[in-house]
Amino acid sequence: MEIKLEHVNFSYQKVNCEMKEVFCDLNVSFLSGKVHGIVGKCGSGKTTFLELIDGLLLPNRGKIYVGDFTIDNNKVDNLSDLRSQIGFVFQNPENQFFNATVFDELAFNLKYYGCYLSDIHKRISDSLRMVGLDDTYVGKDPFHLSNSEKCKVAIASALVYNPKILLLDEPTRRLDGKSKESLIKLLRILKNRYHKTILVASHDTDFLHRIVDDVYVLYDGNIVLSGDKYDVFKNTKQLKKYGVKPPKIIEFSDKVLQKKQIKIGYRDEVNDLIKDIYRYVK
């Protein structure tokens, strides 16, 4: 499902009734079936960007098209139907939990979107297994899980009704190394096997470098850099200018070129990069 923003403006109203502009004449499109990375320094509007696409916020001006749905400054066409196509994983999982057990948390979305009762148990079990949890979690209180487990349950609750679009806000912020690897594998499956359209807003450029197809850099109310992830991430001077830390693997490749005059290109995985260096030296 394709996403398009046309001439979108958005401002928050502050306590003193002044308006704080977040986006000004924002224009961008996201192709269906791809993983897109949204980066920017703290306060650049990454979370607001996702909330506009989900219809949680309405633009002051402009239009947002999510497939056949339209969001403008007055309303969202068929909001319930739109939400059935989007899975939103919040930066703080507790903000999306409403129920006393993991089962009820995942079942809530299924019942809301009209899933047959006979399918609920299987879909909950399948969703938990996709994020690396098992059926022993269904009776647990989601608020009393570890940070990593909360993130996994939040992702499972977003996947359980099989949306076409997945929005992830800082998904690695509370994940340990092993859980981060599992998330990378899951996102690759969702893209390659199920052709989901995935938007990931994150400051973790090392994580994004491994899973996204393209990157969009937010700064001062607009997108200042965009394109293929290698083209954007190798532009380290510009990234730093906009408050974005380049991926370590890109910085390492640049250092090898600078110190050893070895041009090895760019790889997603460190192990592949090391193999390239070894072959070159050998």
Side-chain angles (χ1 to χ4, degrees), residues 102 128 133-141 145:
V102 170
L128 289 174
L133 302 177
D134 56 39
D135 289 343
T136 62
Y137 281 85
V138 294
K140 295 184 178 181
D141 185 338
L145 298 175

Side-chain angles (χ1 to χ4, degrees), residues 35 89 126-133 151-159 166 168 171 175 178-196 198 207 211:
V35 184
V89 181
D126 289 346
S127 297
L128 289 174
R129 189 166 61 252
M130 287 183 76
V131 298
L133 302 177
C151 289
K152 292 177 181 179
V153 170
I155 296 170
S157 69
L159 293 175
L166 185 62
L168 298 153
L175 294 183
K178 183 178 179 180
S179 297
K180 191 183 294 188
E181 291 297 322
S182 297
L183 179 58
I184 289 171
K185 291 178 182 178
L186 173 60
L187 293 180
R188 287 173 176 167
I189 290 171
L190 292 174
K191 171 198 166 184
N192 296 326
R193 187 181 302 173
Y194 300 106
H195 311 294
K196 305 287 187 188
I198 303 171
F207 168 75
I211 54 99

Side-chain angles (χ1 to χ4, degrees), residues 69-93:
F69 300 93
T70 302
I71 303 170
D72 60 27
N73 64 335
N74 292 315
K75 65 182 186 311
V76 182
D77 290 340
N78 303 313
L79 179 59
S80 179
D81 290 339
L82 171 65
R83 292 275 173 78
S84 71
Q85 302 299 320
I86 299 176
F88 195 156
V89 181
F90 290 23
Q91 183 175 155
N92 297 308

Side-chain angles (χ1 to χ4, degrees), residues 18 38 77 96 103-104 147 161 170 234 264 276 281:
E18 292 182 2
I38 313 297
D77 290 340
Q96 68 187 81
F103 179 89
D104 289 338
N147 286 333
Y161 52 94
E170 297 288 359
K234 72 182 181 183
I264 51 180
D276 284 348
V281 174

Side-chain angles (χ1 to χ4, degrees), residues 260-272:
K260 301 294 184 180
Q261 285 73 54
I262 300 175
K263 188 173 184 179
I264 51 180
Y266 300 107
R267 299 287 185 178
D268 291 345
E269 306 291 341
V270 172
N271 287 341
D272 293 334

Side-chain angles (χ1 to χ4, degrees), residues 75-262:
K75 65 182 186 311
V76 182
D77 290 340
N78 303 313
L79 179 59
S80 179
D81 290 339
L82 171 65
R83 292 275 173 78
S84 71
Q85 302 299 320
I86 299 176
F88 195 156
V89 181
F90 290 23
Q91 183 175 155
N92 297 308
E94 298 92 339
N95 292 345
Q96 68 187 81
F97 294 158
F98 294 97
N99 295 280
T101 68
V102 170
F103 179 89
D104 289 338
E105 188 62 43
L106 272 66
F108 175 82
N109 283 334
L110 290 174
K111 293 174 182 176
Y112 183 80
Y113 293 121
C115 179
Y116 292 111
L117 292 176
S118 58
D119 294 336
I120 286 179
H121 286 271
K122 182 179 186 306
R123 293 182 73 163
I124 288 175
S125 180
D126 289 346
S127 297
L128 289 174
R129 189 166 61 252
M130 287 183 76
V131 298
L133 302 177
D134 56 39
D135 289 343
T136 62
Y137 281 85
V138 294
K140 295 184 178 181
D141 185 338
F143 294 97
H144 292 163
L145 298 175
S146 69
N147 286 333
S148 181
E149 289 168 337
K150 287 177 183 177
C151 289
K152 292 177 181 179
V153 170
I155 296 170
S157 69
L159 293 175
V160 71
Y161 52 94
N162 193 27
K164 294 181 180 179
I165 294 172
L166 185 62
L167 308 178
L168 298 153
D169 189 8
E170 297 288 359
T172 64
R173 194 168 72 92
R174 298 186 177 189
L175 294 183
D176 55 33
K178 183 178 179 180
S179 297
K180 191 183 294 188
E181 291 297 322
S182 297
L183 179 58
I184 289 171
K185 291 178 182 178
L186 173 60
L187 293 180
R188 287 173 176 167
I189 290 171
L190 292 174
K191 171 198 166 184
N192 296 326
R193 187 181 302 173
Y194 300 106
H195 311 294
K196 305 287 187 188
T197 303
I198 303 171
L199 271 67
V200 187
S202 179
H203 70 282
D204 187 348
T205 53
D206 294 319
F207 168 75
L208 290 176
H209 181 266
R210 294 180 63 188
I211 54 99
V212 302
D213 296 296
D214 44 43
V215 177
Y216 301 80
V217 180
L218 288 173
Y219 184 82
D220 198 23
N222 222 314
I223 292 173
V224 291
L225 289 175
S226 65
D228 175 85
K229 66 179 178 181
Y230 299 110
D231 292 334
V232 174
F233 280 145
K234 72 182 181 183
N235 198 342
T236 55
K237 289 184 179 179
Q238 285 291 94
L239 289 176
K240 291 175 181 177
K241 173 185 174 182
Y242 297 126
V244 176
K245 182 176 175 57
K248 292 185 180 69
I249 193 168
I250 298 290
E251 291 186 311
F252 181 71
S253 297
D254 289 346
K255 188 167 291 187
V256 170
L257 176 60
Q258 179 185 356
K259 299 291 185 180
K260 301 294 184 180
Q261 285 73 54
I262 300 175

